[in-house]
């Protein structure tokens, strides 16, 4: 018996790894199968499970199989009669997480195709975070859809990672000629074939660095490592972060800066969709939220403003194209559970694909605010016309930190690098679901600045930003800040409505200016309430504390005028 155990535990002889089996693409099944007839009778569509075979990127890509699911509405022919939509899931998810969206679209009389992105779900390969292989995979899916299902028009809809796939479709994969050349300058309809006619990017990262690396060791970096099947560069960066607190590639982030994304830099150029917005030539409905902590809403609003400008330019071929924006109260990924948002989005998509001349509505911007009981307000544009900027300077007063109309005499405040919780993760409004919050329990763990009570109702809507003059108490290079904006009632109740986290690797004992945009917000401060700015040196729910610094020093005064800029709009506007 003991000998048997030793034999079982012995290492086998070393051999060469077996070559991967060739991918075999699944032919579509016979639509007259009894199970399909029963599905169509019960659900209004039938469901086909498929395997597609992607060759990978041109010039050295890695082939792999892609697990896919096709829904065919009962009122549509097996192929060639109805419009269709390609649905792409978020990072770490699968096509099954999009089943509710697939059902909604199929019941509108649209073919629906969803697939597991490379390196996720039941698909093979290694995730490359919207790199060349993933772009080539999408091209293959779109080509298969058009060759086999032959939709009359095609939309691409996705959330988060899937939202970037929607942008990817318009930039790289709008037709076979452009996709084959891997060149976004090739005309979309060269050869008379179009693959994409409308896109809906929801909470889409338009540059990879905005989610993988913000200068801190983000907790998302750790989870992304696992969900990417231990992609090598992410694994190395996450390991270094966890053991010594060093930010991935030790980047320095400021407003508008170009940042590294943890060693995946080689393909950053192809991932930069913001620089290719002139290549998009289809209607676009963009969706983001005020409480998205992973993908800044500015990813979306920047795209909206650029495309709207093109649509208004009579000399641009894009002139007159429908471009829309929706901003909601949801956290990242939660938009998919907001049926009011999705009904608006899918109604627009259906109108675009079925060729209806009926307009969804005249106002291109819809905004859903927590302060307005989750109802929608329609706006003429973004930023809201009539927006003005109000500045408040940081300083110290008799009772602590103050936000004042003018800069005060020079002074400073130190924030210790201690492990605190600024607020729970993924919560739309701080305290509404996860009340855990430890800021203020440890000496020096935060610095808080407050305004005087507001004499009348005020509305902050847009992108608040902060000019911070920062230094370190010991002259160290590293440091990070977690920043929140809160409304404070007379009884001390705090409601958070904007936040940001930033890491730095080039600080010193000499104050230097850091320009930091916060998260896009829409919030009303009632008369008698105060605005509070809170700055901590860490938030353990959001990022691993930096282990190589004592903390940060916030400098105030006329020579180092740290200030908060607030976008204000008329709360009485119609």
């Amino acid at each position: 018996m003991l000998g048997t155990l030793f034999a079982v535990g012995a290492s086998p002889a070393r051999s060469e790894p077996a070559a991967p089996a060739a991918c075999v693409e699944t032919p579509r099944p016979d639509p007259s199968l009894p199970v399909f007839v029963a599905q169509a009778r019960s659900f209004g569509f039938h469901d086909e499970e498929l395997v597609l075979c992607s060759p990978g990127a041109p010039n050295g890509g890695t082939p792999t199989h892609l697990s896919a699911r096709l829904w065919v509405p009962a009122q549509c022919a097996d192929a060639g009669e109805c419009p269709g939509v390609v649905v792409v899931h978020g990072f770490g998810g699968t096509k099954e997480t999009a089943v509710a969206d697939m059902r909604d679209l199929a019941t509108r009389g649209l073919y629906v195709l969803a697939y597991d992105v490379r390196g996720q779900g039941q698909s093979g390969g290694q995730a490359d975070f919207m790199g060349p292989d993933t772009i080539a995979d999408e091209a293959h899916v779109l080509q298969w859809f058009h060759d086999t299902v032959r939709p009359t028009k095609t939309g691409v809809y996705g959330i988060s990672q899937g939202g970037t796939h929607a942008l990817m479709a318009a930039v790289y994969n709008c037709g076979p000629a452009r996709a084959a050349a891997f060149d976004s300058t090739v005309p979309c309809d060269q050869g008379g074939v179009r693959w994409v006619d409308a896109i809906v990017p929801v909470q889409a990262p338009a540059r990879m660095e905005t989610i993988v690396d913000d200068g801190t060791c983000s907790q998302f970096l750790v989870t992304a490592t696992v969900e990417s099947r231990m992609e090598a560069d992410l694994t190395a960066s996450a390991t270094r972060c966890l053991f010594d607190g060093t930010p991935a590639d030790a980047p320095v982030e400021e407003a508008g800066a170009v940042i590294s994304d943890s060693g995946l830099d080689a393909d950053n150029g192809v991932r930069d969709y913001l620089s290719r917005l002139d290549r998009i030539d289809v209607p676009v409905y963009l969706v983001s939220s005020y409480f998205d902590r992973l993908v800044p809403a500015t990813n979306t609003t920047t795209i909206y403003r650029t495309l709207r400008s093109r649509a208004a330019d009579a000399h641009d071929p894009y002139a007159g194209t429908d471009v829309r924006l929706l901003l909601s109260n949801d956290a990242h990924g939660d938009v998919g559970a907001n049926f009011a948002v999705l009904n608006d989005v899918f109604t627009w998509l259906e109108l675009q694909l079925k060729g209806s001349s009926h307009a969804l509505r005249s106002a291109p911007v819809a905004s859903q605010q927590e302060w307005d009981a989750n109802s929608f307000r329609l706006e003429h544009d973004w930023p809201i016309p009539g927006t003005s900027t109000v500045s408040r300077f940081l300083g110290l007063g008799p009772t602590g930190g103050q936000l004042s109309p003018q800069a005060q005499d020079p002074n400073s405040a130190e924030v210790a690098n201690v492990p605190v919780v600024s607020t729970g993760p993924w919560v739309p409004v701080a305290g509404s679901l996860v009340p855990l919050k430890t800021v203020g329990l440890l000496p020096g763990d935060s610095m808080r600045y407050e305004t005087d009570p507001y004499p009348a109702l005020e509305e902050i809507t847009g992108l608040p930003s902060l000019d911070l003059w920062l230094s370190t108490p010991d002259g160290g290079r590293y440091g990070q800040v977690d920043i929140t904006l809160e409304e404070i009632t007379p009884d001390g109740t705090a409601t958070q409505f904007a936040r940001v986290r930033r890491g730095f690797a080039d600080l010193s004992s000499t104050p230097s200016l850091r320009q930091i945009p916060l998260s896009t917000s829409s919030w009303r401060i009632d008369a008698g309430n105060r605005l509070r700015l809170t700055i901590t040196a860490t938030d353990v729910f959001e990022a691993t504390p930096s282990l190589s610094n004592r903390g940060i020093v916030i400098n105030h005064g006329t020579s180092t005028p740290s200030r908060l800029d607030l976008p204000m709009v008329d709360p009485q506007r119609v």
Side-chain angles (χ1 to χ4, degrees):
M1 180 69 178
L2 187 60
T4 302
L5 288 175
F6 276 118
V8 171
S11 299
R14 185 182 300 274
S15 62
E16 295 298 321
C23 178
V24 178
E25 200 150 276
T26 308
R28 290 189 63 191
D30 184 344
S32 65
L33 286 172
V35 66
F36 288 167
V37 174
Q39 282 182 338
R41 187 181 301 117
S42 299
F43 307 120
F45 56 85
H46 78 256
D47 174 18
E48 302 178 13
E49 295 288 335
L50 304 162
V51 173
L52 307 182
C53 298
S54 170
N59 304 318
T62 306
T64 194
H65 71 275
L66 302 173
S67 177
R69 167 177 277 184
L70 173 68
W71 285 5
V72 179
Q75 65 266 45
C76 299
D78 183 48
E81 186 175 281
C82 295
V85 179
V86 173
V87 176
V88 190
H89 62 82
F91 180 70
T94 69
K95 60 187 181 299
E96 280 69 39
T97 60
V99 162
D101 297 333
M102 294 180 70
R103 182 183 179 92
D104 192 335
L105 291 163
T107 56
R108 295 171 184 264
L110 302 166
Y111 300 116
V112 187
L113 176 66
Y115 70 101
D116 289 343
V117 174
R118 172 183 292 259
Q120 297 158 64
Q122 298 180 68
S123 290
Q126 174 69 66
D128 68 357
F129 289 89
M130 285 77 78
D133 275 334
T134 298
I135 296 173
D137 293 347
E138 182 189 60
H140 183 76
V141 169
L142 286 166
Q143 183 171 36
W144 181 92
F145 197 35
H146 275 260
D147 291 348
T148 309
V149 183
R150 304 191 305 277
T152 55
K153 284 190 173 183
T154 299
V156 179
Y157 157 82
I159 296 178
S160 188
Q161 168 187 255
T164 302
H165 278 67
L167 294 173
M168 185 189 298
V171 168
Y172 288 109
N173 295 329
C174 55
R178 182 181 287 189
F182 211 78
D183 181 355
S184 61
T185 63
V186 173
C188 284
D189 55 356
Q190 186 170 307
V193 177
R194 283 200 65 94
W195 285 349
V196 179
D197 300 283
I199 63 171
V200 181
V202 180
Q203 297 178 309
R207 285 194 177 114
M208 270 300 296
E209 56 264 25
T210 58
I211 65 166
V212 175
D213 193 355
D214 63 357
T216 70
C217 296
S218 68
Q219 304 297 0
F220 175 77
L221 179 66
V222 178
T223 59
T225 299
V226 177
E227 292 176 347
S228 69
R229 298 179 181 169
M230 309 305 288
E231 196 281 330
D233 292 320
L234 283 182
T235 302
S237 292
T239 302
R240 185 172 67 247
C241 280
L242 289 173
F243 279 96
D244 67 9
T246 303
D249 291 347
V252 178
E253 178 163 350
E254 299 179 23
V258 176
I259 320 155
S260 163
D261 69 348
S262 310
L264 295 169
D265 315 75
D267 298 318
N268 267 355
V270 302
R271 297 188 186 100
D272 185 358
Y273 298 98
L274 291 179
S275 67
R276 292 181 172 85
L277 298 181
D278 60 328
R279 316 292 165 81
I280 294 176
D281 69 349
V282 295
V284 180
Y285 196 140
L286 296 143
V287 183
S288 189
S289 74
Y290 299 116
F291 297 103
D292 192 338
R293 296 188 185 172
L294 182 59
V295 178
T298 48
N299 277 230
T300 297
T301 55
T302 298
I303 296 172
Y304 170 79
R305 295 176 68 180
T306 301
L307 294 182
R308 282 282 293 175
S309 177
R310 288 186 56 203
D313 183 355
H315 301 291
D316 193 311
Y318 199 67
T321 304
D322 193 16
V323 181
R324 296 183 179 272
L325 171 68
L326 192 151
L327 291 163
S328 73
N329 285 319
D330 307 287
H332 185 78
D334 295 344
V335 170
N338 189 328
F339 300 117
V341 170
L342 292 187
N343 183 66
D344 202 62
V345 165
F346 290 163
T347 299
W348 177 88
L349 193 54
E350 182 182 359
L351 291 172
Q352 293 293 331
L353 298 180
K354 292 185 176 180
S356 172
S357 59
H358 173 69
L360 187 65
R361 58 174 176 273
S362 58
V365 177
S367 177
Q368 182 190 39
Q369 292 98 339
E370 182 78 17
W371 48 258
D372 206 19
N374 289 323
S375 62
F376 286 93
R377 294 175 63 91
L378 302 183
E379 306 288 354
H380 295 295
D381 215 337
W382 188 270
I384 295 171
T387 300
S388 60
T389 300
V390 173
S391 296
R392 291 291 179 263
F393 291 87
L394 283 61
L396 299 178
T399 59
Q402 293 181 332
L403 292 172
S404 307
Q406 291 87 29
Q408 302 176 7
D409 293 335
N411 49 50
S412 63
E414 183 173 336
V415 179
N417 181 35
V418 292
V420 297
V421 177
S422 173
T423 188
W426 311 109
V427 182
V429 179
S432 62
L433 294 177
V434 181
L436 178 62
K437 190 173 181 180
T438 61
V439 171
L441 298 181
L442 300 174
D445 66 9
S446 61
M447 188 62 204
R448 300 178 178 186
Y449 303 86
E450 293 188 7
T451 64
D452 292 332
Y454 279 82
L457 176 68
E458 297 283 359
E459 183 178 331
I460 300 170
T461 295
L463 183 67
S465 63
L466 192 62
D467 280 8
L468 274 184
W469 286 85
L470 293 178
S471 56
T472 51
D474 57 355
R477 295 175 52 205
Y478 294 102
Q480 55 183 282
V481 290
D482 282 81
I483 302 165
T484 62
L485 285 181
E486 303 158 309
E487 179 184 14
I488 310 298
T489 61
D491 67 1
T493 300
T495 304
Q496 182 188 130
F497 62 88
R499 66 176 289 113
V500 73
R501 179 183 70 251
R502 290 292 183 268
F504 310 103
D506 64 347
L507 298 175
S508 70
S509 57
T510 302
S512 57
L513 176 62
R514 308 293 156 148
Q515 297 177 310
I516 305 172
L518 277 70
S519 56
T520 302
S521 61
S522 184
W523 199 260
R524 286 184 168 182
I525 299 179
D526 291 323
N529 292 349
R530 300 171 183 262
L531 172 68
R532 182 164 74 193
L533 169 72
T534 300
I535 301 176
T536 65
T538 185
D539 184 329
V540 296
F541 267 178
E542 298 291 328
T544 301
S546 175
L547 305 180
S548 54
N549 70 90
R550 268 182 47 194
I552 49 110
V553 178
I554 307 165
N555 299 273
H556 326 116
T558 52
S559 59
T560 53
S562 294
R563 76 170 192 271
L564 173 66
D565 291 331
L566 300 168
M568 310 296 293
V569 295
D570 180 6
Q572 305 305 325
R573 71 188 184 284
V574 176

